[in-house]
Amino acid sequence: MTPDTTLHLTDYLFYFFALLAVFSGGVVVFSRNIVHSAFALMFTLFAVAGLYVLLNADFLAVTQILVYVGGILVLILFGVMLTNKIVDVQIKAGSIHVLPASIITAVIAGTLCGVFTLTDWFVVPGADASAVKTTAPHIGEALITNYVLPFEVASVVLLVAMLGAAMIARRERKK
Amino acid sequence: MNIIEPLVKIALILLINLTTVAYLVYTERRVSAFIQNRVGPNRVGPMGLLQPVADIVKLFFKEDIVPTAANKFVHSLAPLISLIVALSTFAVIPFGNTIHLFGRDIKLMIADVNVGLLYLLALSSLGVYGITLSGWSSNNKYSLLGGLRSSAQMISYELSMGLSIIGVLMIAGSLQLDKIVVHQGNYLGGFLPAWNIFLQPLGFITFVVAYFAETNRLPFDLPEAEPELVGGYHTEYSGMKFGLFFLAEYANMITASAVITTLYLGGWQFPFIENFGFSPLAVSLLQVAAFGVKVALVLLFFIIVRWTIPRFRYDQLMNLGWKVMLPLAVLNIIITGFFILV
């Protein structure tokens, strides 16, 4: 069966989201103004959520928006905005340790490219997107059966992080 | 793929929503006047019914002032975000059962998303952007304080909101809003409709309180507390940009009422309608009407609460959110789990 090479609306959407993710990701990294970086991160996260939707991962897409855009980014944005206003110094994002960073990046990029070319991708010819049912029940089942240990470990890590954050906040108040 | 049908639905819902917003403002002013023993707007048109038109025309002619020190782009973007979030929540709300019209079956909701419940939560968590960004970009300390308060408030109450919804999710066993409504069509002991408000009274209370906080309505309107913060996050907005915030607030109220109706008040379910022997079309229309009436009643409840209960202090707000609402919401999950197991 020859693959269908005509571009559909979903293909255009894929390229749109992919380009948006890469471009805004670049802005996050290269922008000198940290507020702009935080803003660009919003578009990156949205674009990734869009890619999830195109992959039929509905649960993951909505969770991405709920947790990253609705929760974490609000806090980041908030921290950036407030520190920018209260401290009268414009916070600039600079580049340090360029050489080690570029080596690590090259290694990661090489690994990803290797995985990308070597993996025997599982392609369903002419798969009907609407035939796929919701993924939420399967994710839930997997989390409390096969993956219960990583799930619990993650929760402990989060708890430790929360305690640590509370500790740091407390200590500053005493000064 | 038929693209006309969703477009018609979107247009209809937008039209109905925006008209309702206009008359919601009018109703609010009349009801508040009634509560405070005043007359309220009664000069424009019969009984003042044309007042919303006059208000909107006035807003269009106002000068649009942007502070010189403001971040222009974000300053214009913020009201748009507020309104878009408020309106797009309506995409997943079922306002009627499948209706047979013009020789085809039409599902009375725009998008039947598999994870509708999470979509609701995700969008309501985005609402904080409009307020935070407007507060920050105005370059005004009152605006910034309003934005700060609103973020803290919304993040705190989102938790108990999400936890209250889990109760509904456990009963219905689905994230799809349509299925949640269908599930509420049964009867308890043959006489009480199995609406989630009867199954989960505690979850209903925590959800409604949390949603009040999400919509920034009194008693939770600290982001715009006018005695302390002038106008809060929209202090520096004028003309149609302020109008957009105003629109967003009331659109949010309608959305909130629709969500509360869908999750807890049986959605479009009209109890015992199957016993009357109406034709299928009449049944569908009556169900849509039932949805409308329920939403209207919740809206009235919103308005009455605003004019009856004074504003919280900030520490009271946080105490309520973290020390009362959160444990209650968790308790609700435990109770629900217990009853499901037994």
Side-chain angles (χ1 to χ4, degrees):
Chain A
M1 191 174 175
T2 50
D4 185 11
T5 46
T6 48
L7 288 172
H8 292 289
L9 179 65
T10 41
D11 298 309
Y12 288 114
L13 279 176
F14 169 78
Y15 287 116
F16 172 72
F17 283 129
L19 280 177
L20 183 65
V22 172
F23 178 74
S24 55
V27 175
V28 174
V29 181
F30 292 116
S31 170
R32 292 276 158 195
N33 187 333
I34 199 158
V35 178
H36 291 172
S37 292
F39 265 126
L41 193 58
M42 181 159 88
F43 289 100
T44 316
L45 295 172
F46 258 118
V48 174
L51 291 177
Y52 285 149
V53 171
L54 292 179
L55 287 170
N56 267 323
D58 49 0
F59 179 78
L60 207 55
V62 180
T63 320
Q64 160 95 2
I65 292 181
L66 183 64
V67 175
Y68 283 95
V69 186
I72 293 175
L73 193 63
V74 172
L75 289 180
I76 292 180
L77 214 57
F78 218 75
V80 167
M81 286 173 176
L82 277 183
T83 40
N84 236 2
K85 288 271 161 171
I86 290 172
V87 190
D88 258 342
V89 188
Q90 279 285 316
I91 301 173
K92 293 265 186 224
S95 304
I96 46 166
H97 303 308
V98 179
L99 187 66
S102 41
I103 292 174
I104 295 174
T105 316
V107 170
I108 295 176
T111 317
L112 282 179
C113 288
V115 169
F116 182 71
T117 47
L118 293 178
T119 308
D120 191 14
W121 292 102
F122 179 67
V123 179
V124 186
D128 185 14
S130 57
V132 182
K133 291 277 177 273
T134 176
T135 53
H138 305 295
I139 293 177
E141 259 166 43
L143 274 183
I144 53 168
T145 51
N146 290 343
Y147 298 97
V148 70
L149 187 66
F151 183 59
E152 286 300 318
V153 169
S155 72
V156 172
V157 170
L158 285 178
L159 184 67
V160 171
M162 212 162 76
L163 285 177
M167 276 287 290
I168 293 170
R170 277 285 156 117
R171 201 179 298 156
E172 242 168 61
R173 195 182 287 168
K174 264 183 194 166
K175 240 187 260 179
Chain B
M1 201 169 101
N2 191 351
I3 201 159
I4 311 263
E5 189 185 310
L7 282 181
V8 170
K9 282 193 261 187
I10 292 170
L12 260 181
I13 287 189
L14 274 184
L15 195 71
I16 293 173
N17 238 329
L18 295 181
T19 321
T20 318
V21 165
Y23 278 93
L24 193 58
V25 177
Y26 169 77
T27 317
E28 169 133 49
R29 291 174 68 179
R30 286 301 285 227
V31 170
S32 70
F34 171 73
I35 288 175
Q36 297 171 339
N37 224 350
R38 293 182 287 118
V39 180
N42 68 343
R43 293 301 169 92
V44 194
M47 292 163 63
L49 275 172
L50 292 179
Q51 182 72 38
V53 183
D55 285 346
I56 293 167
V57 171
K58 184 195 80 172
L59 271 177
F60 268 116
F61 283 108
K62 288 256 173 169
E63 188 189 353
D64 178 35
I65 303 165
V66 180
T68 12
N71 186 326
K72 301 266 179 329
F73 176 66
V74 183
H75 193 261
S76 320
L77 186 70
L80 286 179
I81 295 181
S82 280
L83 188 64
I84 289 172
V85 168
L87 289 179
S88 47
T89 313
F90 246 89
V92 294
I93 291 179
F95 50 94
N97 203 352
T98 309
I99 189 170
H100 195 73
L101 212 60
F102 310 123
R104 53 156 84 225
D105 288 325
I106 298 173
K107 202 163 198 181
L108 287 183
M109 64 195 295
I110 295 175
D112 193 6
V113 188
N114 282 332
V115 284
L117 203 58
L118 282 175
Y119 175 89
L120 281 184
L121 278 180
L123 274 187
S124 77
S125 71
L126 294 185
V128 68
Y129 276 101
I131 293 176
T132 315
L133 292 183
S134 62
W136 172 77
S137 65
S138 302
N139 204 11
N140 172 320
K141 59 186 168 194
Y142 297 119
S143 301
L144 187 69
L145 274 175
L148 174 81
R149 282 182 175 189
S150 116
S151 309
Q153 174 178 327
M154 281 183 155
I155 290 176
S156 311
Y157 280 79
E158 228 159 60
L159 282 174
S160 25
M161 199 171 107
L163 287 174
S164 326
I165 289 184
I166 290 183
V168 175
L169 176 64
M170 284 162 85
I171 288 182
S174 172
L175 287 166
Q176 222 162 334
L177 290 174
D178 205 32
K179 288 199 179 134
I180 292 173
V181 174
V182 170
H183 199 268
Q184 295 180 72
N186 305 326
Y187 299 100
L188 295 171
F191 65 96
L192 193 65
W195 296 355
N196 282 330
I197 182 175
F198 302 121
L199 294 170
Q200 309 237 324
L202 185 61
F204 174 72
I205 292 169
T206 49
F207 183 76
V208 169
V209 172
Y211 222 135
F212 263 82
E214 285 282 309
T215 50
N216 289 319
R217 293 275 301 177
L218 234 115
F220 298 105
D221 72 336
L222 283 112
E224 47 181 310
E226 55 271 12
E228 314 152 27
L229 291 181
V230 191
Y233 60 91
H234 55 51
T235 306
E236 296 289 358
Y237 281 86
S238 57
M240 233 12 232
K241 280 187 198 147
F242 171 75
L244 280 185
F245 273 124
F246 207 65
L247 200 63
E249 187 192 326
Y250 283 87
N252 253 328
M253 250 169 89
I254 299 176
T255 310
S257 309
V259 171
I260 291 171
T261 307
T262 306
L263 293 184
Y264 287 96
L265 301 178
W268 40 259
Q269 300 282 2
F270 192 126
F272 307 112
I273 195 169
E274 61 273 13
N275 300 340
F276 298 139
F278 288 127
S279 71
L281 184 66
V283 168
S284 304
L285 290 178
L286 277 175
Q287 282 172 333
V288 175
F291 180 77
V293 169
K294 286 176 194 172
V295 170
L297 287 178
V298 180
L299 282 173
L300 197 63
F301 175 69
F302 262 90
I303 294 175
I304 291 174
V305 165
R306 171 168 176 188
W307 297 98
T308 340
I309 300 178
R311 181 180 300 127
F312 279 105
R313 222 169 47 218
Y314 193 68
D315 57 323
Q316 291 171 333
L317 175 92
M318 283 296 152
N319 273 341
L320 179 74
W322 290 100
K323 294 184 184 162
V324 181
M325 297 277 296
L326 201 59
L328 278 183
V330 175
L331 184 70
N332 180 52
I333 295 180
I334 297 174
I335 295 175
T336 313
F338 181 75
F339 274 106
I340 287 179
L341 276 181
V342 171

